[in-house]
Amino acid sequence: MVKFAVICASNMNRSMEAHYQLQKRGYNIQSFGTGSAVRLPGPTPTQPNIYQFGTAYDQIYTELTSQDVQLYTRNGLIAMLERNCKVKRAPQRFHDEPAFFDVVFTCEERVFDAVCEELLNRAGVNSRPVHVINIDIEDNHKDAGVGAKTIIELARQIVASKDLESDMDRIIEDVQNKMPHPLLNSSEPLDTHVCLILCLYLATKVTEEPRNQRDMINVNFKLTHPDNDDEPLAEAALDRLRQTMTKGELILMRTLAFDFTVELPHPWIAHILYGMAWWKDKGRPPADPSLVDERIKRVAAFAWAVANQVVEAGLVDREPARIIAAVCIVVALEAHDEPLPARDLDQWADVWAQTTKTRITDTRRLIEHHIDVATIDR
């Protein structure tokens, strides 16, 4: 039997309406929230009612009715809590529950992001595949009821499928055409050419050299239609590809967990130079910047400039940042005729860069093959 979960922020309104409706129809369903706490409207917009996850619905019901039964009846909270009490005991936080599901429905994109991140963190514990489908639902009682109908239709078709992996795209498209809510599927496959262009497109953003989306689309079109070089891309096709690029960028970034971290050599340059210049004070620079030796300033500035060239040449992933930083410092010392603070390069490499002369020499050869150090201003 397919195991479903439905998740919103507080496990009070949208997820509980869907939980209630799916449970009545016999589905295997649980519901959760992803917020740090359960937040409900209070007497004013700046005075919400805040509860911890695990606080029983009947306790919240009792407290709100004692505060102002007319207000909370009028805004629908009393009826909502009465329904919730029929479904389960208390709101649950998804991050605190170890259960796994075949399909997870989320009710807004920030919840979708939080769920995808949590599932990525759980991958090392349980490698079961899971489909996460987002249905954008406004957080009010009327839209929660409409959104539940969309979730019910998705669940109906998913349970009826004999091959969910193959049918999921068709199911999403069919329900999207029937229902008013935008849908996003975490496991939606991307065409190989589209995925390639998206990787290049994101890379231009990460390296702060962004390219026009239309230019990237035209490249993709030429790759997929090599015999139609002179035929212009129709506006309708261009619009479809724009939508695919925008949607695919979200999917790709979520798959990567937004992790574009590249370790740069610059912090290591500062760390090593601080250690060399002020090793007696455990690498701490003097409190007065004017006391910093002018020679160290010149060496640091030149090493930093070399590191910038390394980044621009796309070499930062070829060697560890610590090794690249060491090479930048050695080159800077030589450029300013400063001696190594060691017996020889072997000793310096061992003490200050935790590496070997050979490693530094090989990395320097790589860098100088791509960068003309002589052209860098001293």
Side-chain angles (χ1 to χ4, degrees):
M1 190 175 188
V2 180
K3 292 183 67 176
F4 292 105
V6 59
I7 305 174
C8 65
S10 291
N11 197 199
M12 275 285 175
N13 179 33
R14 294 165 292 178
S15 61
M16 285 301 290
E17 175 64 22
H19 188 160
Y20 176 66
Q21 296 294 342
L22 289 167
Q23 187 171 277
K24 283 202 307 182
R25 290 162 174 79
Y27 292 100
N28 185 348
I29 176 69
Q30 295 185 50
S31 62
F32 305 93
T34 57
S36 58
V38 174
R39 288 173 170 79
L40 295 173
T44 69
T46 59
Q47 294 176 292
N49 290 289
I50 300 176
Y51 297 92
Q52 295 300 311
F53 280 97
T55 305
Y57 291 119
D58 59 4
Q59 178 184 333
I60 299 172
Y61 175 90
T62 300
E63 291 184 13
L64 294 187
T65 53
S66 66
Q67 284 180 25
D68 190 335
V69 67
Q70 291 185 340
L71 170 64
Y72 296 124
T73 298
R74 191 165 58 249
N75 68 13
L77 287 189
I78 297 300
M80 180 188 75
L81 288 164
E82 288 174 344
R83 176 205 63 203
N84 292 357
C85 288
K86 298 174 185 177
V87 176
K88 63 179 186 177
R89 190 190 72 84
Q92 298 166 270
R93 188 169 184 266
F94 182 65
H95 298 68
D96 300 331
E97 302 292 333
F100 285 84
F101 303 92
D102 300 301
V103 178
V104 175
F105 301 116
T106 60
C107 300
E108 62 177 290
E109 283 207 19
R110 69 187 175 100
V111 174
F112 178 91
D113 291 339
V115 169
C116 288
E117 182 179 356
E118 174 63 17
L119 290 173
L120 284 169
N121 290 336
R122 295 183 187 186
V125 178
N126 190 318
S127 58
R128 287 174 53 186
V130 57
H131 291 273
V132 185
I133 303 171
N134 186 66
I135 307 96
D136 272 329
I137 305 171
E138 290 292 324
D139 193 5
N140 60 64
H141 302 301
K142 180 181 177 181
D143 285 321
V146 178
K149 293 178 181 177
T150 299
I151 293 174
I152 290 167
E153 179 60 20
L154 283 165
R156 184 189 68 79
Q157 294 200 32
I158 287 169
V159 169
S161 170
K162 291 184 169 67
D163 185 352
L164 186 57
E165 298 302 317
S166 300
D167 292 344
M168 183 56 83
D169 290 343
R170 176 192 57 76
I171 292 170
I172 295 289
E173 183 177 1
D174 182 67
V175 176
Q176 182 71 87
N177 291 334
K178 290 179 181 177
M179 300 299 185
H181 302 93
L183 304 180
L184 178 63
N185 177 18
S186 66
S187 56
E188 180 176 345
L190 295 172
D191 175 81
T192 302
H193 284 107
V194 172
C195 194
L196 172 62
I197 296 300
L198 281 171
C199 289
L200 291 172
Y201 187 47
L202 286 175
T204 66
K205 292 184 176 182
V206 172
T207 57
E208 298 183 1
E209 296 183 10
R211 297 292 187 270
N212 186 281
Q213 189 184 57
R214 180 162 189 157
D215 292 340
M216 305 301 288
I217 289 171
N218 285 332
V219 170
N220 177 54
F221 183 76
K222 289 180 179 180
L223 284 172
T224 53
H225 302 83
D227 298 328
N228 296 335
D229 288 341
D230 298 327
E231 184 177 331
L233 188 60
E235 282 301 316
L238 178 62
D239 287 340
R240 284 196 302 273
L241 282 169
R242 276 178 175 153
Q243 292 177 14
T244 300
M245 287 279 288
T246 301
K247 192 173 182 180
E249 185 176 358
L250 288 173
I251 293 169
L252 189 58
M253 289 180 71
R254 286 181 176 119
T255 301
L256 294 170
F258 298 92
D259 184 7
F260 296 102
T261 302
V262 176
E263 187 180 15
L264 297 176
H266 303 75
W268 280 103
I269 291 173
H271 175 75
I272 294 172
L273 282 175
Y274 281 172
M276 287 168 51
W278 305 295
W279 63 272
K280 290 182 179 179
D281 295 321
K282 299 181 180 178
R284 289 192 298 270
D288 184 356
S290 66
L291 297 178
V292 177
D293 193 297
E294 287 299 323
R295 296 181 305 163
I296 289 293
K297 288 182 181 179
R298 288 197 299 269
V299 170
F302 192 85
W304 201 274
V306 176
N308 288 340
Q309 294 282 329
V310 169
V311 172
E312 290 179 15
L315 303 175
V316 288
D317 61 342
R318 300 285 291 274
E319 290 289 344
R322 171 174 49 83
I323 306 300
I324 292 174
V327 171
C328 293
I329 291 170
V330 169
V331 170
L333 288 169
E334 289 184 7
H336 288 280
D337 297 320
E338 296 288 348
L340 281 172
R343 183 180 63 251
D344 52 28
L345 183 57
D346 261 329
Q347 185 188 53
W348 184 87
D350 179 52
V351 172
W352 298 111
Q354 292 84 55
T355 187
T356 64
K357 174 184 176 180
T358 302
R359 188 77 180 275
I360 287 182
T361 302
D362 290 345
T363 303
R364 180 175 183 174
R365 188 178 298 114
L366 168 70
I367 290 173
E368 292 183 338
H369 178 73
H370 292 84
I371 295 170
D372 186 358
V373 175
T375 62
I376 299 176
D377 292 337
R378 286 167 168 71

